[in-house]
Amino acid sequence: MIILSAENISKTFKGLKALDSVSFQVEEGEVYGIIGPNGSGKTTLINCITGFIRHEKGKVFFRDKNITKLPPHKIARMGITRTFQIMRPYFSLPAYKNLVIPLWGPRARKLGGWRGGGKHGDRDTVAIDILEEIGFERDSRVPYKLASTLPTGYLKRLELARCIAMRPEVILCDEIFSGLSVGEIGGLIPLLEKLKLEGVTIIMVEHRLRELFKVADRVMALQFGEKIAEGKPYDVIEDSRVREAYLGSDEV
Amino acid sequence: MDILVYGTINSIILALMSLGFTLVYSISRLPNFAHGALYIATGYTVWMLLNSLELSYPLAILIGILGTAASGALIYRFALIRVRGMEISEVIASYAIGLAIIEGLRWGGLRGSTFTLPSFMSGSITFFDVSIDYQRLIIMVTGFAVFVMLYLFTRFTKTGLAFRGIAQDERASMMLGIDSDFTAILSLAIGSGLAGLSAVILLPLGNIVVETGYNVLIFSIAVSIIGGLGSWSGVVVASFIIGFAQILTEVFLSSHYQMVVALLAIIVTLLIKPSGIMGKQKELEERV
Amino acid sequence: MKRSERVDRGINVRSEGIYAISSLKEILYLAGPRMALVLILFLLPVVLDSVPYWKRVVNIMLVYSLLAISFDFLANYVGLVCLGCSFFVGVGGYTSAILNSYLHVPIYLSIPLASVLGAVICTLLLLPCLWLRGVYFAIITLMYPLLLTRVIEALNIFGGTNGISGIESLPGNDLENYIIIVVMLAILFGLRRFVNQDIGLVMRGVKDNDQSIRASGINVTWIKTQAVFIASLIGCFAGSYLVHLYIWAGLSLFALDFSIIPIAAVTIGGSGFLIGAVVGSFILVPLSEFLRFFGSFRIVIYCVVLTLFIVFKSEGIMMYISRRYHQFERWVDV
Ligand SMILES: Nc1ncnc2c1ncn2[C@@H]1O[C@H](COP(=O)(O)OP(=O)(O)O)[C@@H](O)[C@H]1O
Ligand SMILES: [Mg+2]
């Protein structure tokens, strides 16, 4: 079943076409990758889908519901969550309190947070459970540290944790692997697979193709705001236009 | 006809008042809330120079304007430079400095008798059945002259070009080696100088009273917000909008509403299009 | 060679809300400062019994504390810098005056009613601006009190420039003091609790970055609305109390003092932990009584002090004291 579909999304910034009639559909429970060189409009696409910026043309459907003109918080409440490429934790709060906020939000209050926890119970405990799951050592002091003192690796995971806490149906990840060490990515991949098994749909914008291809079922490639290829990961990478787009880039 | 002529004059007055504020903001992104205070301080300084030291009028004016320009630069050099980039601190610090100047004047100088600056020229001419005194004519001419000069300055001099560069893209300009602090000092000096200049030519129209300091601040904020913070063409457009709106309310309602019009205009603009009429939406659209 | 080193005084009590209190001494260590504040405030009217003038100053001081708390809460816990606290004072004050003088609502109803009603009015008026950020919100809040002043002047409503008189005065001297003391303490401690609740966390989140709040499915405007309501409730109470204290409501309720002194108080006392706001007002307001003689020069002094504190990025007096309280310095060999 198709859970999320975008039809002909176009967005221009002062004459610059950031997205040019991009359409794609994502099946429920699949991991869908979006690749493309820098500035090809990947982040913009996520922003348009999640309502953070308004696109001029095109529609977005979530399970046949038109969510095109909805404000971001309403879209998030339906279970479509996102991470930010430039990490946006609550710097003045301790790491676990960062998760208390999404757990306090209307969606988690109604359904309970991740795995139903924290609905009426203690949000702090659930927050720490989630953090442990995502690789913050429970018995260390890391979960209690101020977010402003955490290194990038932890902040990236905190972004993901914030999504998970909301018990999402779709997660859109914007380059969560970038800035992580190979070891840290190795720790995240099983988590993503577990989420997938639990039925969460994951859309991943990613630069690190090798790691992405380990988890992705299907991949779409963007260039200059246009969709140039879609399909199985290794088919897409064989596509001549994709090769051309990445030519000279050592990531392939 | 009355409305047209006086509307135009009023608009030019507003533009002159607020030009300094906008100039500073557009170049150094500093909301200089001490603008109104500098304006009224110039008026008082010139009056003191004229009446206590008995200097000649042109000399007093020159010293007044230069003094204000210098104080603007000093304010930046010793206070604002330390809070640069922290928006709210900038606002509070410059507002507090402005308040200190204004209330200081109220306490120490502008009390008791009325203070007036003499007109440059007395008499008036008649223009399509509307009589205009020479002072207002001078204001119009100066207004045009200032705008033309600024235009030429920013297109054809090196410093002016640097100003424009900073106004457009601060980071890129800094990489090109333009010293942001130096331009900020300069912009504050010029902006304050403009406040002084407008004070000198506008104040002869009435008495020097402390409240003018607040009113000038409010009007310049109004004009620059409505025009779009930091947009120079916006200043002109917004001045004409508010200028005519004020004259119209004065004619059809009463002069009490002048300030209400300006304030309402600010609020409505901020609500509908915070970047203002000619604004570039730079501040508000955040990259996500 | 020796250098000074800072050491945490005591104990395990300071680790993020988890208190492991084992002795009376530790309880005192924790509760001492609070008890001292409460005690001092309750004793003030008794001590100053023979000088009614200073009892009044205490009231004014507490009114400013409330305003400063309201400013501090909005600015440092929600990220909305309100440069026009006098807006709250004015709206609350006028509402109370209208209720009491025009509609003959008795005083014990008019103060609470005016606080709530005034807060609703303030919130509704500010509602359209809540999506503005940073300087834009600051500027617009600066404009609101001015606008209301000019509107009242121009339309000549609510007594115009003469104001509204014939307002019931607060009952007896001691009660007058204790009302505001109790309310101030309740708001101070209540708000300190509140900001550490989950909803308080969300508000702090709004200050840190509202995009993540949106991404968490929370309506930022709604959160800000609640915060503004709380702040204006505090401000409107202060205004309505003042009106009954002066038995008069007029345009001076929108005056600059009510906007600038709270900001100065917060900056001096230390921003971001509410108690700093109180301490700041306790310093500034009595000071301004001593300076009464200078007239409008007082504002100059506030402004200079405020500028110095802001420009030199001072952490504020309260921060200094609390550091001293929780840590001690000692010299160690290196
Ligand atoms: N808020 C914005 N204002 C103007 N241009 C933008 C904005 N956001 C993105 N762009 C432009 O849109 C293009 C696509 O950007 P982005 O979606 O961030 O690319 P990617 O995430 O694929 O690297 C870029 O050229 C970028 O400069
Ligand atoms: Mg990107």
Side-chain angles (χ1 to χ4, degrees):
Chain A
M1 194 191 140
I2 286 165
I3 189 164
L4 191 75
S5 77
E7 289 172 11
N8 300 320
I9 297 189
S10 301
K11 169 80 196 170
T12 33
F13 289 114
K14 295 177 212 139
L16 174 113
K17 272 204 166 148
L19 287 176
D20 192 1
S21 208
V22 176
S23 314
F24 68 97
Q25 297 186 322
V26 183
E27 296 274 338
E28 187 161 2
E30 97 177 309
V31 176
Y32 187 84
I34 300 175
I35 61 172
N38 265 329
S40 54
K42 306 178 300 283
T43 302
T44 309
L45 183 60
I46 290 196
N47 284 339
C48 290
I49 293 172
T50 49
F52 278 80
I53 55 180
R54 284 273 160 87
H55 46 276
E56 293 98 34
K57 266 193 277 165
K59 293 199 178 100
V60 185
F61 291 93
F62 173 64
R63 298 188 191 288
D64 301 330
K65 233 178 289 153
N66 190 343
I67 59 167
T68 313
K69 287 275 149 69
L70 291 183
H73 65 266
K74 290 211 171 130
I75 294 179
R77 264 177 220 180
M78 299 174 129
I80 304 177
T81 64
R82 64 167 296 176
T83 70
F84 293 96
Q85 181 177 3
I86 313 158
M87 295 150 290
R88 294 173 177 277
Y90 308 106
F91 283 113
S92 64
L93 301 180
Y96 76 105
K97 291 283 186 194
N98 270 263
L99 297 190
V100 169
I101 291 175
L103 284 172
W104 180 89
R107 180 177 173 86
R109 249 185 299 174
K110 201 165 99 215
L111 300 175
W114 193 32
R115 309 223 168 99
K119 189 172 178 184
H120 300 294
D122 185 7
R123 298 198 180 97
D124 291 357
T125 344
V126 181
I128 294 199
D129 289 345
I130 297 175
L131 282 181
E132 186 183 24
E133 188 102 13
I134 207 149
F136 284 53
E137 301 80 5
R138 177 191 282 269
D139 296 322
S140 69
R141 290 178 56 186
V142 183
Y144 304 96
K145 276 193 177 163
L146 281 190
S148 53
T149 62
L150 292 176
T152 320
Y154 282 104
L155 289 181
K156 285 271 176 189
R157 281 180 274 168
L158 196 58
E159 283 280 318
L160 189 59
R162 198 186 58 223
C163 293
I164 295 176
M166 287 178 63
R167 199 148 126 191
E169 295 188 45
V170 181
I171 303 182
L172 294 101
C173 305
D174 199 348
E175 304 204 6
I176 48 165
F177 288 163
S178 66
L180 295 194
S181 69
V182 178
E184 284 169 325
I185 295 177
L188 271 184
I189 287 181
L191 180 80
L192 291 172
E193 275 163 356
K194 197 151 71 182
L195 281 174
K196 185 181 164 188
L197 279 183
E198 282 170 20
V200 180
T201 312
I202 302 173
I203 299 177
M204 292 185 74
V205 165
E206 205 46 70
H207 245 15
R208 316 260 295 237
L209 301 188
R210 190 169 306 130
E211 286 87 357
L212 174 68
F213 288 177
K214 278 188 198 149
V215 281
D217 300 312
R218 275 192 312 144
V219 171
M220 157 172 94
L222 286 180
Q223 190 193 10
F224 300 131
E226 273 181 76
K227 177 167 152 182
I228 50 173
E230 186 179 23
K232 292 259 176 283
Y234 288 96
D235 297 344
V236 167
I237 214 64
E238 291 303 323
D239 187 289
S240 62
R241 292 180 69 190
V242 177
R243 297 225 130 211
E244 202 177 310
Y246 270 98
L247 199 70
S249 141
D250 52 355
E251 271 148 319
V252 181
Chain B
M1 202 60 211
D2 266 22
I3 293 178
L4 204 63
V5 172
Y6 275 94
T8 313
I9 293 176
N10 196 28
S11 309
I12 292 177
I13 290 178
L14 282 175
L16 268 176
M17 272 183 194
S18 46
L19 191 60
F21 184 86
T22 304
L23 185 123
V24 174
Y25 192 84
S26 75
I27 293 165
S28 48
R29 302 277 136 192
L30 274 169
N32 177 19
F33 273 51
H35 183 75
L38 291 170
Y39 176 96
I40 200 69
T42 317
Y44 181 67
T45 318
V46 172
W47 188 88
M48 284 295 283
L49 291 174
L50 273 182
N51 292 307
S52 300
L53 297 180
E54 297 182 356
L55 296 182
S56 69
Y57 201 13
L59 188 62
I61 288 176
L62 193 68
I63 296 179
I65 294 177
L66 289 180
T68 314
S71 15
L74 290 179
I75 290 177
Y76 180 77
R77 180 60 191 80
F78 289 104
L80 298 182
I81 198 169
R82 292 164 163 276
V83 289
R84 189 83 192 278
M86 294 183 287
E87 280 185 333
I88 299 303
S89 300
E90 285 168 1
V91 171
I92 296 181
S94 61
Y95 188 47
I97 293 172
L99 274 184
I101 295 175
I102 293 181
E103 294 299 323
L105 281 181
R106 192 203 294 279
W107 174 74
L110 292 168
R111 268 193 313 197
S113 57
T114 50
F115 297 76
T116 42
L117 290 180
S119 299
F120 297 166
M121 255 196 268
S122 54
S124 61
I125 55 162
T126 313
F127 216 59
F128 300 111
D129 298 344
V130 191
S131 98
I132 310 171
D133 48 293
Y134 281 123
Q135 187 68 31
R136 289 196 162 77
L137 215 57
I138 292 174
I139 290 171
M140 286 175 77
V141 174
T142 324
F144 278 119
V146 166
F147 271 93
V148 170
M149 263 162 56
L150 264 183
Y151 182 82
L152 295 178
F153 173 69
T154 53
R155 307 274 137 163
F156 299 112
T157 65
K158 214 170 148 197
T159 330
L161 286 172
F163 274 12
R164 285 217 308 166
I166 291 243
Q168 270 158 15
D169 189 343
E170 177 157 2
R171 197 167 324 140
S173 315
M174 260 151 67
M175 280 195 275
L176 289 175
I178 296 174
D179 181 353
S180 143
D181 272 334
F182 177 70
T183 39
I185 290 188
L186 212 58
S187 76
L188 244 105
I190 296 180
S192 315
L194 280 173
L197 175 69
S198 54
V200 170
I201 57 173
L202 297 181
L203 281 175
L205 294 179
N207 293 337
I208 309 177
V209 285
V210 171
E211 272 65 34
T212 318
Y214 293 112
N215 292 347
V216 167
L217 175 63
I218 294 172
F219 282 131
S220 11
I221 293 178
V223 166
S224 53
I225 283 191
I226 291 164
L229 267 179
S231 153
W232 299 8
S233 47
V235 171
V236 182
V237 177
S239 302
F240 273 83
I241 293 176
I242 303 182
F244 274 91
Q246 280 181 341
I247 294 292
L248 287 175
T249 41
E250 197 175 323
V251 171
F252 294 110
L253 282 163
S254 89
S255 59
H256 282 308
Y257 289 94
Q258 277 213 351
M259 188 61 86
V260 177
V261 168
L263 293 170
L264 272 183
I266 298 184
I267 294 178
V268 170
T269 317
L270 278 183
L271 298 184
I272 297 170
K273 190 165 181 292
S275 59
I277 297 171
M278 313 290 269
K280 282 168 250 143
Q281 198 86 31
K282 204 165 174 182
E283 283 78 12
L284 284 165
E285 193 167 301
E286 206 187 349
R287 292 218 171 181
V288 261
Chain C
M1 221 172 86
K2 280 177 179 289
R3 79 182 158 84
S4 91
E5 177 194 60
R6 288 218 183 91
V7 185
D8 274 9
R9 205 184 287 283
I11 26 187
N12 31 16
V13 287
R14 291 186 53 239
S15 58
E16 191 61 39
I18 305 158
Y19 296 120
I21 301 167
S22 52
S23 69
L24 190 65
K25 195 172 145 230
E26 290 185 354
I27 294 179
L28 269 183
Y29 173 79
L30 262 187
R34 285 158 226 216
M35 307 275 279
L37 178 70
V38 174
L39 218 67
I40 290 175
L41 279 183
F42 273 92
L43 285 180
L44 266 181
V46 182
V47 175
L48 297 173
D49 206 29
S50 55
V51 272
Y53 176 76
W54 280 96
K55 278 173 86 168
R56 210 143 230 245
V57 173
V58 170
N59 290 340
I60 308 290
M61 188 170 92
L62 289 161
V63 164
Y64 277 114
S65 305
L66 283 177
L67 295 176
I69 289 177
S70 150
F71 173 83
D72 195 23
F73 170 67
L74 268 193
N76 294 307
Y77 289 93
V78 199
L80 295 170
V81 176
C82 173
L83 293 185
C85 285
S86 60
F87 175 58
F88 302 147
V89 178
V91 172
Y94 266 98
T95 317
S96 197
I98 291 163
L99 284 175
N100 189 260
S101 175
Y102 292 0
L103 306 174
H104 306 293
V105 177
I107 180 168
Y108 52 85
L109 273 182
S110 80
I111 292 185
L113 212 58
S115 310
V116 176
L117 217 61
V120 172
I121 296 172
C122 288
T123 316
L124 285 180
L125 286 177
L126 283 174
L127 199 57
C129 336
L130 286 184
W131 65 285
L132 296 170
R133 286 205 187 96
V135 212
Y136 288 90
F137 186 79
I139 293 176
I140 211 164
T141 46
L142 190 68
M143 297 299 154
Y144 265 104
L146 291 171
L147 181 69
L148 284 195
T149 318
R150 306 287 164 138
V151 167
I152 290 176
E153 251 172 29
L155 297 177
N156 207 8
I157 43 172
F158 308 141
T161 40
N162 291 328
I164 303 174
S165 48
I167 295 167
E168 225 177 304
S169 76
L170 288 157
N173 252 335
D174 277 346
L175 201 57
E176 174 182 308
N177 279 304
Y178 284 114
I179 289 176
I180 188 100
I181 290 176
V182 170
V183 170
M184 202 285 286
L185 287 173
I187 287 177
L188 176 66
F189 291 122
L191 212 54
R192 271 172 74 100
R193 266 209 110 94
F194 178 82
V195 294
N196 285 316
Q197 306 279 291
D198 289 351
I199 168 91
L201 280 183
V202 175
M203 286 178 183
R204 282 154 73 180
V206 170
K207 186 195 173 204
D208 264 8
N209 76 71
D210 48 2
Q211 303 283 13
S212 290
I213 296 277
R214 288 201 175 89
S216 301
I218 298 168
N219 185 344
V220 173
T221 312
W222 175 234
I223 300 289
K224 284 185 180 172
T225 311
Q226 294 176 348
V228 167
F229 181 79
I230 294 172
S232 41
L233 192 66
I234 300 172
C236 287
F237 171 81
S240 113
Y241 177 85
L242 264 185
V243 160
H244 287 284
L245 191 70
Y246 290 145
I247 30 178
W248 179 75
L251 290 177
S252 63
L253 285 174
F254 290 108
L256 218 54
D257 302 36
F258 295 119
S259 301
I260 198 81
I261 296 182
I263 301 178
V266 169
T267 317
I268 289 169
S271 44
F273 47 146
L274 302 175
I275 185 74
V278 177
V279 172
S281 325
F282 282 17
I283 295 171
L284 273 187
V285 177
L287 187 75
S288 92
E289 283 311 311
F290 287 117
L291 301 174
R292 172 128 282 185
F293 156 75
F294 287 111
S296 74
F297 192 65
R298 284 181 302 161
I299 300 221
V300 178
I301 294 177
Y302 295 141
C303 290
V304 171
V305 174
L306 176 59
T307 314
L308 289 178
F309 267 79
I310 287 193
V311 164
F312 291 100
K313 302 196 189 81
S314 159
E315 53 184 8
I317 291 167
M318 201 47 216
M319 186 77 168
Y320 178 78
I321 296 178
S322 91
R323 222 190 31 236
R324 274 292 151 111
Y325 186 70
H326 287 304
Q327 299 175 325
F328 60 89
E329 279 181 10
R330 67 174 176 206
W331 292 93
V332 287
D333 289 315
V334 273

